[in-house]
Amino acid sequence: MLGKIKSYTKKDNLLSIEFENGTASVTVVTATIINFFSPHLAQRRVSKAIENLQTSSTPFSIDADADQLTIRTKKLKILISTDFKTDIYDTLGNPLCEDYRGDGQPFVRRGSSAQLEIASQEGHKIDEQASGEKIKIFKKMAENTYFYGLGDKTGHLNKKDYHYRMWNTDNPNPHVESFEAMYKTIPFFIALRSQQAFGIFFDNSFESTFDFGKENSDYYAFSAKDGDLDYYFIYGPSMKTVIGGYTYLTGRTPLPQLWTLGYQQSRWAYTPENRLHEIADTFRQKDIPCDVIHLDIDYMDGYRVFTWDKKKFADPTRTLTDLRKQGFKVVTIIDPAVKKDKGYTIYDEGLKNNYFATDKDGIPYVNQVWPGDALYPDFANKTVRHWWSKNQKIMTDTGVSGIWNDMNEPASFNGPLPDDVHFNNDGISADHREIHNVYGHYMSKATYEGLKEATGKRPFVITRAAYAGTQKYATVWTGDNQSLWEHLRMSLPMLMNLGLSGITFCGTDVGGFGFDCTAELLSRWVQVGAFTPLFRNHSSIFTRDQEPWAFDEQTEAINRKYIKLRYQLLPYLYDILHEEESNGLPMMRPLLLGYQSDEATYEINDEFLCGDQILVAPIVEQGLTSRMLYLPKGDYWIDYWTKEVFAGGQYIIKKAPIDVCPIFVREGSVIPLYPVQNYVGEKDVKQLTLSIYPFVRSGQTNYEHYQDDGESFNYRSGVYNLYDFSLKQVNEHELKMTLKRPHAEYDHAYHSFKFILNRINDPKIIVDGQITPFDAAGEQLTFQADDPKEIHISY
């Protein structure tokens, strides 16, 4: 309770306010991004999520009136009053985000302590709301408000009426909607009401909670057990602008190497060496593309990180070299826990240099993980991160192409790490309560920087635990899911909310990690995986095999079909991630992100957009061979398989036998395609295919295609090509396609383009006045890259 405003000062973008019982500040980052801060733990900590924030002078005015300050930017009006109460409006005076006046009034849980004891004896777990919060912010709940974000929390896309806990947690039980905490802490959400969106990023790494009306429908709230009041309000009004603002603060996913978008195969565990070769050979023999094979913990010598078990891999360098000749890249798991073992180099170095987290008495803290007694590197310390970065070269010198960071919540077998475990947060003494949620984030940063230094290429890092901003360093997956239909269904909103939370490059274990997959479940899951950024099949030890060929010929054929489709779509997916570096928008998007004005899209959990041109409505229930789906209004949609045309704004029934995933393409789309390859780089792609979906009546669009070497950072120095394709529907049966090349600094340009015109009703086509027949494979035309520049097509 800060009391009344006593005075204020303004300096550049910062407004400092002195209250009767403390201080606070408001920073105008941009006209639409405002930071609200009040110290509680100490003076402002350096943000773990926001690095190198570029601020510029943003004009704003301040008016003082009685006990209230009014701040105006060109986009917002902010009222600051007693106790640092904050109300935010748009320039027309419409309320966007208002503080709730009054105390919290949680609903009452009925039952006596005796009844609770009886229930617990039978195994019933009673939810316990977080207690002891030192900071809690209440916001007024307006009618018809929807909430999204918070990373990969379980449940539905819209988080209204739910309560979540931010405490990175390794829980091996099957994930269900009642899980309040998962592996990641992304304390950012987007609120949408009356087609206006804003976001709030609560930059506090201590355990925090978010309640979207579960406690009381009159308000929503966010709180933390310690730390400072430090949150950013990010205005849209479009959700795309909010995401752009949030990723402007916390960073954007850098463009990955192209091969990381290929199919990836994993299992606990592909050992010994002959099993690894068997998997690789089978992919090539069965004509199923694959770029990556993952090695889980059993490749290590006694689970010692940065080692190899020489009984299983006598010469790992030779093994990885042989696999690379077949087109396979190998990604190895690295956990944070270092085995307590005198004579083990990593342990000896860490102990000698005080690189491990300690207990309250300064003694290295020991818990148990896979290697038994183990110590935890103090990743909060820059010196330790640098040491860990250098160790990545041990793996890359062997031929490893990427690193998979697991168990970095941090996980432990002998009870959780105590609150008083000590870390050196770059010179600031911090305990486990503050570092727990950013431990995996710091580990990812160290791994990323080490791979970059060792290889000079764009690092491929996968992490299970994360914090806001981890997208700058790693891709993520949703953790140890199960081979359950419910987990397939639930993965869609989890991945969509990750994308809305800045984590663009994300995926789930295709087929499920635990339990035993079925042929039907794998067939439906691979249809989803083909359109998710990280496309990895992963399963646990002692479960049945779930490689593409593990069931029957039909299941194998379905896997082959959709994995090959993925490889055709690689240039389209790569274009999305290239654009993401400048706009922050994810590859896998809820329908509402593209159609915010269509309220029918706000709670659709089982459909998604891949980029802005492809809509995927997968089957996520056992036995279904048809489904109802919604097509957003404002556009016509073309069935990918049948080329039927449907008006948007309606529900339709789509038949979907086991080998068909309902896919629709927005009218006016231009989708670049590559030839199918066994692995990225197998073929020198000199011809780009463009699949054109005409407008139903009229319209025009531009599509920009990006090309670079697919692995280096040279593109940041301008070494890339841009191709601009302008499509104009002149009338119902005439198109004009204009080709431009606005940037041409990469010398491996395409030699020619092939155009596939979808939805053709006549077997003949007139191009620039000449009648051109088509082959049975489809409506295709081929032109040299530089001739002609403008193509007229009548059909």
Side-chain angles (χ1 to χ4, degrees):
M1 303 297 290
L2 293 177
K4 295 182 178 180
I5 297 172
K6 292 177 61 180
S7 64
Y8 69 91
T9 58
K10 177 181 180 294
K11 182 179 180 181
D12 299 326
N13 292 39
L14 176 66
L15 172 65
S16 300
I17 308 171
E18 184 178 355
F19 290 86
E20 292 175 313
N21 303 315
T23 62
S25 65
V26 178
T27 303
V28 180
V29 181
T30 70
T32 57
I33 302 176
I34 313 295
N35 173 245
F36 301 94
F37 176 83
S38 181
H40 287 258
L41 177 68
Q43 293 303 311
R44 182 189 291 266
R45 294 283 213 227
V46 174
S47 173
K48 281 84 169 172
I50 301 173
E51 302 177 44
N52 305 315
L53 178 63
Q54 301 296 316
T55 59
S56 58
S57 179
T58 301
F60 67 96
S61 64
I62 305 171
D63 294 318
D65 180 17
D67 295 327
Q68 180 173 276
L69 297 177
T70 302
I71 305 168
R72 287 184 174 87
T73 74
K74 65 179 180 180
K75 295 289 186 179
L76 297 170
K77 183 176 77 169
I78 304 121
L79 304 183
I80 307 293
S81 56
T82 299
D83 292 329
F84 203 25
K85 294 296 184 184
T86 302
D87 303 313
I88 306 173
Y89 304 83
D90 66 17
T91 54
L92 298 177
N94 299 310
L96 299 171
C97 178
E98 300 174 282
D99 272 2
Y100 176 78
R101 271 67 173 177
D103 296 328
Q105 297 179 337
F107 62 84
V108 177
R109 295 185 182 275
R110 306 292 180 183
S112 67
S113 58
Q115 290 170 321
L116 176 61
E117 175 65 24
I118 292 173
S120 64
Q121 289 176 7
E122 191 187 355
H124 295 284
K125 186 178 183 300
I126 308 302
D127 288 336
E128 296 182 12
Q129 299 300 320
S131 59
E133 299 114 328
K134 293 187 177 180
I135 298 166
K136 190 163 187 176
I137 305 298
F138 295 90
K139 298 290 184 181
K140 186 186 298 184
M141 179 77 79
E143 292 183 3
N144 300 319
T145 302
Y146 301 81
F147 297 96
Y148 309 94
L150 298 188
D152 59 349
K153 293 292 186 279
T154 59
H156 296 275
L157 183 67
N158 176 21
K159 299 304 184 186
K160 188 173 182 179
D161 297 329
Y162 287 85
H163 178 280
Y164 296 96
R165 179 169 160 256
M166 294 293 177
W167 187 251
N168 291 358
T169 302
D170 173 25
N171 187 337
N173 293 318
H175 305 151
V176 293
E177 291 182 18
S178 61
F179 270 45
E180 290 197 336
M182 292 286 285
Y183 304 98
K184 301 167 188 65
T185 289
I186 316 292
F188 166 72
F189 67 87
I190 301 173
L192 177 61
R193 174 177 174 264
S194 301
Q195 300 185 10
Q196 288 215 92
F198 67 84
I200 287 181
F201 170 42
F202 184 33
D203 193 6
N204 184 312
S205 65
F206 286 85
E207 181 179 344
S208 58
T209 59
F210 289 77
D211 188 297
F212 296 115
K214 178 178 180 177
E215 180 175 292
N216 189 306
S217 60
D218 290 337
Y219 55 79
Y220 59 98
F222 50 96
S223 61
K225 287 195 171 181
D226 212 331
D228 300 320
L229 188 159
D230 189 1
Y231 72 94
Y232 293 79
F233 175 88
I234 307 163
Y235 180 50
S238 76
M239 290 187 69
K240 291 182 178 180
T241 301
V242 174
I243 295 169
Y246 170 70
T247 55
Y248 169 78
L249 292 172
T250 61
R252 291 169 183 154
T253 301
L255 187 63
Q257 293 191 59
L258 183 57
W259 61 261
T260 67
L261 296 177
Y263 178 75
Q264 307 188 28
Q265 185 66 49
S266 182
R267 181 171 173 83
W268 179 19
Y270 289 138
T271 57
E273 178 181 346
N274 61 352
R275 175 61 172 154
L276 184 61
H277 283 301
E278 177 191 347
I279 293 296
D281 292 344
T282 305
F283 270 106
R284 298 298 179 244
Q285 292 164 6
K286 290 185 174 291
D287 187 31
I288 301 174
C290 181
D291 263 274
V292 185
I293 300 177
H294 292 248
L295 291 179
D296 212 317
I297 56 176
D298 286 347
Y299 80 92
M300 291 183 272
D301 177 16
Y303 307 120
R304 296 170 180 86
V305 291
F306 303 111
T307 68
W308 290 80
D309 185 334
K310 292 305 178 67
K311 293 181 180 178
K312 298 173 182 174
F313 296 92
D315 187 349
T317 301
R318 176 185 55 79
T319 299
L320 270 59
T321 298
D322 291 344
L323 288 169
R324 186 169 288 276
K325 290 177 182 177
Q326 292 180 277
F328 290 99
K329 279 68 69 175
V330 171
V331 172
T332 51
I333 196 169
I334 294 285
D335 292 340
V338 174
K339 183 176 178 63
K340 184 181 179 181
D341 181 19
K342 189 175 181 179
Y344 165 40
T345 302
I346 303 298
Y347 169 76
D348 290 344
E349 289 180 356
L351 196 64
K352 176 183 177 181
N353 294 290
N354 300 316
Y355 286 163
F356 298 116
T358 67
D359 65 16
K360 61 183 179 180
D361 298 317
I363 299 172
Y365 174 76
V366 178
N367 204 312
Q368 289 193 344
V369 201
W370 301 116
D373 283 350
L375 290 77
Y376 294 82
D378 183 359
F379 292 127
N381 186 335
K382 183 177 181 180
T383 302
V384 178
R385 292 198 300 273
H386 182 68
W387 167 66
W388 196 262
S389 293
K390 291 292 186 181
N391 288 330
Q392 308 306 311
K393 195 171 187 299
I394 298 171
M395 307 308 294
T396 58
D397 283 352
T398 309
V400 170
S401 298
I403 297 294
W404 161 21
N405 289 334
D406 203 350
M407 306 290 287
N408 54 351
E409 288 72 33
S412 53
F413 294 169
N414 189 22
L417 276 64
D419 288 348
D420 60 3
V421 168
H422 175 78
F423 296 85
N424 176 1
N425 191 191
D426 292 337
I428 298 174
S429 178
D431 62 28
H432 181 240
R433 299 175 309 139
E434 183 174 0
I435 300 303
H436 176 88
N437 283 335
V438 294
Y439 190 81
H441 172 80
Y442 279 136
M443 184 185 185
S444 297
K445 181 177 182 179
T447 305
Y448 177 91
E449 292 173 347
L451 291 179
K452 183 177 181 181
E453 181 179 355
T455 68
K457 298 178 180 179
R458 308 168 205 168
F460 182 52
V461 181
I462 308 176
T463 184
R464 191 170 72 177
Y467 184 69
T470 298
Q471 66 268 13
K472 299 187 290 290
Y473 307 115
T475 176
V476 308
W477 89 106
T478 58
D480 294 344
N481 63 357
Q482 304 277 317
S483 297
L484 304 171
W485 284 94
E486 179 61 13
H487 278 204
L488 170 57
R489 183 203 65 76
M490 196 162 57
S491 72
L492 302 183
M494 291 174 76
L495 292 172
M496 286 188 276
N497 272 317
L498 273 170
L500 294 178
S501 305
I503 308 287
T504 298
F505 201 169
C506 58
T508 189
D509 286 343
V510 170
F513 176 70
F515 200 50
D516 295 319
C517 195
T518 67
E520 183 185 0
L521 179 58
L522 181 60
S523 296
R524 291 306 191 186
W525 213 319
V526 78
Q527 293 168 13
V528 173
F531 294 93
T532 58
L534 178 65
F535 187 15
R536 181 181 77 157
N537 177 319
H538 182 45
S539 55
S540 179
I541 196 168
F542 299 125
T543 63
R544 68 165 300 162
D545 290 351
Q546 65 181 45
E547 290 78 25
W549 54 83
F551 293 92
D552 50 48
E553 290 185 3
Q554 181 186 47
T555 306
E556 179 182 322
I558 292 169
N559 274 259
R560 182 183 296 108
K561 173 181 177 179
Y562 284 91
I563 293 172
K564 285 188 172 184
L565 175 59
R566 168 68 167 221
Y567 277 77
Q568 286 183 287
L569 289 170
L570 283 179
Y572 174 70
L573 305 180
Y574 198 57
D575 284 344
I576 296 170
L577 290 176
H578 168 249
E579 291 179 0
E580 183 276 338
E581 273 201 299
S582 60
N583 62 24
L585 297 181
M587 177 190 299
M588 189 173 176
R589 309 172 182 180
L591 303 191
L592 65 103
L593 189 58
Y595 296 88
Q596 188 170 317
S597 61
D598 185 353
E599 295 188 9
T601 65
Y602 287 8
E603 300 213 54
I604 293 180
N605 296 277
D606 59 352
E607 301 176 37
F608 62 92
L609 296 170
C610 180
D612 63 1
Q613 299 189 126
I614 297 175
L615 185 153
V616 185
I619 300 294
V620 293
E621 293 183 48
Q622 180 177 321
L624 288 189
T625 56
S626 64
R627 63 157 293 175
M628 183 175 71
L629 61 92
Y630 181 74
L631 298 171
K633 64 183 177 183
D635 288 306
Y636 283 89
W637 296 89
I638 301 167
D639 188 313
Y640 175 80
W641 304 108
T642 68
K643 309 309 180 207
E644 293 177 89
V645 179
F646 298 89
Q650 65 169 326
Y651 291 90
I652 66 168
I653 302 295
K654 169 65 179 175
K655 292 183 178 180
I658 187 63
D659 66 333
V660 173
C661 176
I663 303 169
F664 294 81
V665 183
R666 182 172 53 81
E667 63 169 335
S669 292
V670 178
I671 298 179
L673 303 173
Y674 275 172
V676 174
Q677 307 172 72
N678 282 310
Y679 58 91
V680 169
E682 180 190 29
K683 296 179 180 179
D684 184 9
V685 182
K686 296 182 179 180
Q687 182 182 78
L688 180 69
T689 298
L690 294 152
S691 186
I692 300 170
Y693 291 80
F695 288 94
V696 173
R697 292 189 176 89
S698 63
Q700 61 183 35
T701 189
N702 282 80
Y703 183 83
E704 184 177 78
H705 173 62
Y706 172 84
Q707 180 193 32
D708 66 12
D709 64 19
E711 63 177 22
S712 78
F713 285 96
N714 291 340
Y715 75 98
R716 292 185 175 176
S717 301
V719 184
Y720 60 87
N721 294 328
L722 288 179
Y723 302 87
D724 184 79
F725 301 96
S726 176
L727 179 69
K728 183 176 182 180
Q729 190 84 33
V730 180
N731 56 52
E732 190 174 355
H733 295 290
E734 184 178 355
L735 281 172
K736 182 174 78 172
M737 172 72 80
T738 305
L739 290 72
K740 296 180 181 178
R741 196 171 164 194
H743 191 94
E745 296 296 331
Y746 176 52
D747 59 11
H748 198 76
Y750 300 114
H751 293 182
S752 63
F753 298 104
K754 178 194 288 185
F755 297 90
I756 299 176
L757 189 61
N758 296 279
R759 205 179 58 80
I760 300 298
N761 298 318
D762 192 299
K764 293 182 291 185
I765 194 168
I766 302 172
V767 180
D768 294 338
Q770 300 296 316
I771 297 178
T772 305
F774 289 90
D775 57 35
E779 300 77 14
Q780 302 181 7
L781 297 166
T782 301
F783 294 96
Q784 297 304 305
D786 295 322
D787 181 30
K789 292 292 186 182
E790 190 173 280
I791 306 164
H792 293 267
I793 302 173
S794 300
Y795 55 94

